[in-house]
Amino acid sequence: GDSVLAQEKGKEMATGLNARAATPLQEYFDQLACHWDREVSLAGLECLNDIVRELDIGPGSRVLDIGCGTGVLLPFLVEAVGARGRIVALDFSRNMLLEARAKAFQHIVNLAQADVTDIPLVHGFAHMVICNSAFPHFGDKAEALKEMARVLRDDGRLVICHTASRDRINQFHQSIGGAVGADLLPDEAQLVDLTERTGLRIVYLEDSPTRYLAIAKKAIQVPD
């Protein structure tokens, strides 16, 4: 069939999961995986459903879900892209992916373990890259944005979303401390600067008590 994951080797290609030594952040999320879904509220799911609907993702689209966790966003994305679409869902936590895999999503969903700074996809693969509750955890946000921009098609969209405000998210991570204590959402000026350096442009930014939504578009490359 149509292989969307870039060249991988042996067992990693077969399973989508690798056995490399986990970082402290990976270990943190591995430990949370088994009860992650119990922490997702009905209001949170409704919020995510609304966000996906508002994004107006076209049927047949190719979507990359970065930091997919247990697959909370996947049912909404599957509905949006339809049977002709393709979704690649990546996470760096092996246990999160095992929880997602147990849900047996449709064949249009490919799950794999990968880091956002080394996405196993070809240039220009995705119409949309979406980071739900993930962006603060990217240690090198500039490199992450560069890599996400690489796999976006010209005029493709990067979406960063949360079911709470920026301040609430940052305060929550700081209150937990440890592996996630310094994992913060940048302010608007920082985000604009970071995205513009990678050929992305913020076209929408909403920061309300109930949700955070930033949308950036990749510039159309004009041949020399």
Side-chain angles (χ1 to χ4, degrees):
D2 176 23
S3 176
V4 296
L5 297 179
Q7 296 177 357
E8 296 177 281
K9 297 179 181 178
K11 191 173 180 181
E12 287 186 25
M13 185 172 183
T15 64
L17 302 174
N18 65 58
R20 298 187 187 115
T23 66
L25 192 60
Q26 284 173 299
E27 290 177 351
Y28 173 83
F29 283 106
D30 278 344
Q31 291 168 4
L32 292 178
C34 63
H35 54 81
W36 185 262
D37 286 347
R38 293 200 294 271
E39 304 300 320
V40 181
S41 69
L42 180 59
L45 290 173
E46 290 175 349
C47 178
L48 292 175
N49 188 28
D50 288 344
I51 287 172
V52 171
R53 287 179 182 276
E54 290 169 26
L55 291 172
D56 197 24
I57 303 169
S61 294
R62 293 186 170 207
V63 177
L64 173 59
D65 182 2
I66 285 278
C68 66
T70 61
V72 172
L73 200 62
L74 290 177
F76 309 121
L77 295 178
V78 167
E79 181 181 2
V81 305
R84 293 183 295 106
R86 200 64 174 267
I87 300 167
V88 176
L90 303 181
D91 204 287
F92 71 168
S93 165
R94 178 184 177 87
N95 289 358
M96 287 284 186
L97 287 168
L98 289 172
E99 293 289 329
R101 181 160 292 170
K103 297 176 182 178
F105 288 107
Q106 287 91 328
H107 70 281
I108 63 169
V109 177
N110 289 87
L111 293 163
Q113 187 174 2
D115 190 88
V116 66
T117 59
D118 188 19
I119 299 171
L121 291 172
V122 297
H123 288 61
F125 163 82
H127 296 90
M128 177 177 290
V129 175
I130 186 162
C131 306
N132 171 46
S133 299
F135 193 74
H137 305 300
F138 300 159
D140 188 339
K141 292 180 174 58
E143 191 61 29
L145 285 164
K146 179 181 177 182
E147 182 69 345
M148 290 188 288
R150 179 188 69 79
V151 300
L152 270 175
R153 295 162 61 105
D154 288 355
D155 212 31
R157 292 180 289 169
L158 166 66
V159 177
I160 299 168
C161 62
H162 293 264
T163 57
S165 69
R166 173 180 169 269
D167 282 347
R168 185 177 170 192
I169 293 155
N170 288 349
Q171 289 168 9
F172 179 62
H173 289 160
Q174 288 170 326
S175 71
I176 295 172
V180 298
D183 292 358
L184 307 176
L185 261 178
D187 63 28
E188 181 175 356
Q190 292 170 322
L191 186 61
V192 167
D193 181 56
L194 281 167
T195 51
E196 286 184 348
R197 283 192 244 158
T198 59
L200 298 166
R201 180 174 61 89
I202 299 291
V203 295
Y204 182 83
L205 181 59
E206 175 185 344
D207 185 8
S208 73
T210 56
R211 71 182 202 177
Y212 176 94
L213 176 61
I215 304 173
K217 293 192 79 171
K218 182 177 178 179
I220 297 175
Q221 304 298 315
V222 179
D224 294 333

